[in-house]
Amino acid sequence: MADAPIIALDEVCWSVGGTSIVAGVSLGFAAGKVNVILGPNGAGKSTLMKIAAGRLKPTAGRVRYGDRDIFSIAAKELAVRRAFLSQHVEIDFAITVEEVVLMGRYPHFARAPGREDRRIVDAALDLVGMADKRRQIYPTLSGGEQQRVQLARVLAQVWDDGDAPAPRTIFLDEPVASLDIHHQLQILDLVRSLPGRRCTIVVTLHDLNLAMEYGDRFIFLRDGRLQAVAEEPAAVSADLIKRIFDVRATALDDEGGGRLLRFHL
């Protein structure tokens, strides 16, 4: 029997100004997996993710975290169980890398960070390969470096110190957007490792080939509605891709035995 989903959406809707953005989505996110949300621009991916994370209250429907309504959970309690990385995080003032990551520890201390908070910041920076730049001013970093620092921040927020509440979830909204290929792979290699640290991942991606390589489970949206859920890459068919993205896809075998998709209008 499959494990119960860590977060479940029940007939969730969200609309603004009479326009429906998410319509009647019922969905569970598999615990301990990389759940990838896919769909064309305007499909409602980011909105659905914000609803699932408890950052945006649906206009109809319910979101459950475990057996509780997510909007009944106190903000501080929720903050130590789930973290959210937005597409764009703008910081344009003189703050160090270490101070940015320390922001992730704010839910864990009252007035000032303790020794354990700083140890976790150090560990998170080391995990993303940015420990040697902890004193650098954040806006002077490259885009790829900034994204790694932001990932360290959300990791520090829900860090597994042995006593951390479980389950824990990290939401990543287009974490590799605008990054070069090298930095995309760096970030996604790290994301791929996080289920091994007792984290469930929910991530939006545009690149289907990257999604198939790094994801475990694939959730397809179009026009704000759930279209399909594929439990493995092999279940993502050319017909499904055509229905969602209006493109034809040809599967090619690569030298490592994997599958690459080539797209045609």
Side-chain angles (χ1 to χ4, degrees):
M1 181 180 295
D3 292 338
I6 185 170
I7 295 177
L9 283 60
D10 183 17
E11 289 295 320
V12 161
C13 301
W14 194 78
S15 59
V16 59
T19 300
S20 176
I21 308 299
V22 172
V25 172
S26 294
L27 172 69
F29 295 108
K33 302 288 186 181
V34 177
N35 299 265
V36 186
I37 302 176
L38 296 157
N41 291 341
K45 301 185 297 297
S46 295
T47 300
L48 185 71
M49 177 175 281
K50 290 175 184 175
I51 292 170
R55 291 166 61 96
L56 182 65
K57 193 164 187 177
T59 50
R62 185 183 180 203
V63 182
R64 289 182 289 108
Y65 196 113
D67 59 356
R68 300 165 66 187
D69 187 307
I70 198 169
F71 297 100
S72 72
I73 302 174
K76 184 173 181 178
E77 180 185 352
L78 188 60
V80 302
R81 292 177 177 271
R82 70 93 179 90
F84 191 99
L85 179 57
S86 301
Q87 285 187 39
H88 306 290
V89 182
E90 297 290 340
I91 299 177
D92 57 6
F93 51 91
I95 183 172
T96 67
V97 163
E98 187 175 39
E99 289 169 326
V100 170
V101 180
L102 190 58
M103 292 177 180
R105 298 301 299 169
Y106 286 178
H108 299 268
F109 59 83
R111 295 184 179 179
R115 181 179 301 174
E116 183 67 3
D117 297 303
R118 295 197 179 277
R119 182 194 68 79
I120 289 170
V121 167
D122 289 344
L125 281 169
D126 187 60
L127 186 61
V128 303
M130 291 295 291
D132 60 333
K133 298 196 175 183
R134 60 174 13 92
R135 306 296 183 194
Q136 188 165 335
I137 300 301
Y138 176 84
T140 68
L141 298 174
S142 70
E145 290 171 331
Q146 289 186 5
Q147 195 71 336
R148 280 192 283 163
V149 171
Q150 291 297 334
L151 186 53
R153 174 181 60 80
V154 299
L155 286 171
Q157 182 178 331
V158 293
W159 190 260
D160 182 8
D161 57 7
D163 296 322
R168 295 166 306 124
T169 309
I170 295 178
F171 291 87
L172 304 167
D173 193 6
E174 290 293 341
V176 297
S178 303
L179 299 185
D180 61 42
I181 295 172
H182 177 82
H183 288 109
Q184 287 181 16
L185 298 181
Q186 274 190 331
I187 293 291
L188 291 175
D189 279 343
L190 181 53
V191 168
R192 175 70 263 172
S193 73
L194 294 178
R197 303 180 66 86
R198 298 202 308 159
C199 279
T200 295
I201 304 301
V202 181
V203 57
T204 61
L205 293 171
H206 273 298
D207 189 313
L208 275 173
N209 280 310
L210 288 177
M212 297 302 109
E213 182 172 356
Y214 287 96
D216 295 313
R217 191 164 177 267
F218 310 94
I219 297 154
F220 290 89
L221 298 181
R222 179 162 177 161
D223 298 326
R225 296 184 179 276
L226 179 65
Q227 302 294 322
V229 177
E231 300 293 344
E232 59 180 356
V236 179
S237 66
D239 287 343
L240 176 58
I241 293 171
K242 174 66 175 176
R243 178 157 59 92
I244 302 299
F245 295 99
D246 290 324
V247 296
R248 293 181 293 116
T250 303
L252 305 173
D253 294 330
D254 66 18
E255 295 178 356
R259 185 178 68 151
L260 295 174
L261 296 172
R262 184 178 178 185
F263 303 103
H264 322 264
L265 292 176

